[in-house]
Every structure is written in C-alpha cells, then in structure tokens.
Amino acid sequence: DSRKIERQGVFFALPGAKADGHFFLKEVAEKGALGAIVSKHYSGPSFGLELIKVPDVFQALHTLAKTAFNERKEKVIGVT
C-alpha cells in the first residue's frame, strides 16, 4: 500500500482490481522509498527508485514472504 510506505522501504507494484501499483511509484519515491519491485514489462520512469524487474510481482512478494517465514526460529501456531 503506497500510503503506508516507510522511508528506505521497498514497494511491490502489485496489479489491483482498481489500480495498478506501478501508478504509485512517484508517490513512494517522494515518501523516501529506496526501491520497488516492478513487472518486467514496466517501461516508465524510475523516479529515482532502484527498480527490480521480475516476471510476476505477486509471485516475487509470495517468495519473499515464504523465505522470511521459513527462516524464523520461532514456531508459529494457528488457532481457528
């Protein structure tokens, strides 16, 4: 969510039902983000961000989350 980006953060330009995350790169750059994960098809300006182009932005976020979760030392228990 571009509204919640923090200074020196990384933004994932996810495609959405109503808006494409790539449209918010300028906003996150102005808020101090360092970089963004974007589609390999993105050809717009970087706005000073370090852009990492990937085939599928959602899959890249999923892979990062899975890796971070697997590297946790704590056990996670879900109660439903």
Side-chain angles (χ1 to χ4, degrees), residues 2-77:
S2 62
R3 296 167 292 188
K4 297 179 182 178
I5 192 73
E6 296 181 11
R7 287 192 55 72
Q8 300 185 351
V10 176
F11 178 71
F12 283 78
L14 295 168
K18 295 183 181 182
D20 184 338
H22 295 88
F23 295 134
F24 300 97
L25 294 175
K26 182 177 180 183
E27 178 185 343
V28 298
E30 290 171 350
K31 291 182 176 182
L34 291 178
I37 311 302
V38 299
S39 168
K40 68 179 181 178
H41 302 293
Y42 178 72
S43 61
S46 70
F47 301 105
L49 297 168
E50 186 68 37
L51 299 181
I52 299 173
K53 295 187 176 188
V54 297
D56 183 327
V57 178
F58 181 79
Q59 183 62 45
L61 178 59
H62 176 78
T63 300
L64 175 64
K66 183 177 179 181
T67 301
F69 184 79
N70 287 336
E71 290 182 2
R72 292 177 64 125
K73 294 179 182 176
E74 305 88 9
K75 289 189 178 192
V76 177
I77 300 171

